Amino acid sequence: MKECIIDRIRSELWALRDVEYKNFQAKLIPTVSPENIIGVRTPQLRSLAKRWAKDPQIGEFLAQLPHKYYDENNVHAFIVEQIRDYEGCLEQTERFLPYIDNWATCDMMAPKVFARHTEELLEPVRRWIASEETYTIRFGVGMLMRYYMDKAFGPEYPEWVAGIRSEEYYVNMMRAWYFATALAKQYDGVVSFLEEKRLDVWTHNKAIQKACESRRVTVEQKRYLRGLKCVKNCQTVLWHIK
């Protein structure tokens, strides 16, 4: 009897296990139980995904959600990002998003075909950032940061990110990261969001912190941004990671 692809992938993952790396990953991803982390390094996962993506049975693996292991989710993400057909890739992305349970898997998945379909992608992006799912929102903001920060940038996009209301750490960290990146690439288009205090205090201050850590922001800009930091009433429900 032929072994199913899910068992074959899992078997390969266990063969590549690095216990030291697994323990390191467990500290970085508190939303995932250490028992559900095998401990396979990212380059190996990408190599595995590239090979398994060509297997005629791969649809069975993609359909088997939720996966048990963090490493399986990452293989899934790396397979989806290889899909060359935009509609097919979008369909598989939307099937997978509700099952993402950590920031790393969320941020790793960057479908290459999306870069060639930025106009069509805007509607799903708006839908994702309007979601109630933490990592679906984070993924949507991540797509805006990845594909709409240079030539495709529009003044409405930071408005969308500023309009997100969430008490989730992993949502607001991505929002802060978005604005820090925008300050490096589209400074004149987004600095008013900080001048006018358009963001919640935590995201506002974190965006400034991250921007000031960037080499792409000038010394003069950093000096100005530090002067915009909120120093009063900075209590927030985001002081800890659940």
Side-chain angles (χ1 to χ4, degrees):
M1 183 176 178
K2 190 174 182 180
E3 187 179 22
C4 77
I5 191 170
I6 298 164
D7 290 337
R8 284 186 282 150
I9 289 176
R10 189 169 293 177
S11 178
E12 284 207 42
L13 289 173
W14 279 103
L16 294 169
R17 188 187 197 200
D18 182 329
V19 176
E20 205 171 294
Y21 183 69
K22 172 247 175 79
N23 294 334
F24 171 72
Q25 286 291 95
K27 294 176 182 177
L28 294 178
I29 313 168
T31 59
V32 178
S33 169
E35 296 177 356
N36 293 333
I37 300 175
I38 296 174
V40 183
R41 294 178 179 273
T42 301
Q44 293 173 308
L45 291 174
R46 285 191 178 278
S47 178
L48 183 64
K50 188 174 182 179
R51 176 159 51 84
W52 281 113
K54 301 172 184 176
D55 191 287
Q57 288 186 307
I58 196 59
E60 295 178 24
F61 174 75
L62 296 179
Q64 187 66 38
L65 290 168
H67 297 301
K68 180 177 180 180
Y69 294 104
Y70 162 75
D71 313 71
E72 290 177 314
N73 277 326
N74 290 347
V75 168
H76 192 125
F78 294 149
I79 290 172
V80 169
E81 71 177 18
Q82 294 179 59
I83 298 174
R84 297 180 180 179
D85 173 67
Y86 170 73
E87 293 295 340
C89 185
L90 179 62
E91 179 183 355
Q92 288 295 339
T93 297
E94 301 218 88
R95 282 193 68 254
F96 184 49
L97 283 177
Y99 298 97
I100 296 178
D101 59 1
N102 68 90
W103 67 266
T105 302
C106 180
D107 295 358
M108 284 179 186
M109 188 167 68
K112 300 174 181 62
V113 71
F114 286 177
R116 301 195 299 273
H117 294 268
T118 51
E119 287 189 22
E120 302 99 305
L121 188 64
L122 284 173
E123 190 277 326
V125 165
R126 294 207 71 171
R127 187 169 64 250
W128 295 333
I129 65 177
S131 169
E132 295 183 357
E133 299 289 335
T134 296
Y135 298 103
T136 299
I137 302 170
R138 184 179 174 103
F139 183 78
V141 177
M143 291 298 97
L144 281 178
M145 185 169 68
R146 184 180 296 273
Y147 298 124
Y148 302 87
M149 198 59 80
D150 297 303
K151 291 182 179 180
F153 179 80
E156 66 271 34
Y157 306 148
E159 292 279 357
W160 297 355
V161 179
I164 295 170
R165 295 292 177 265
S166 176
E167 294 184 354
E168 291 290 341
Y169 173 88
Y170 290 106
V171 169
N172 289 312
M173 179 58 83
M174 179 59 84
R175 293 172 67 227
W177 188 9
Y178 173 89
F179 275 98
T181 303
L183 286 166
K185 292 191 170 187
Q186 299 287 346
Y187 184 87
D188 292 337
V190 298
V191 69
S192 63
F193 285 83
L194 301 172
E195 293 171 330
E196 298 167 9
K197 305 293 190 291
R198 300 276 304 279
L199 307 174
D200 58 275
V201 170
W202 189 90
T203 305
H204 174 100
N205 283 344
K206 184 61 70 172
I208 291 173
Q209 175 193 329
K210 292 297 182 184
C212 289
E213 292 171 356
S214 172
R215 295 181 179 179
R216 296 176 295 179
V217 178
T218 69
V219 173
E220 293 76 14
Q221 289 170 341
K222 290 178 182 180
R223 186 180 299 116
Y224 181 68
L225 290 170
R226 289 190 184 102
L228 297 177
K229 286 196 77 170
C230 294
V231 294
K232 296 180 180 179
N233 300 320
C234 289
Q235 292 85 359
T236 174
V237 296
L238 301 170
W239 64 273
H240 66 303
I241 302 176
K242 296 182 179 179

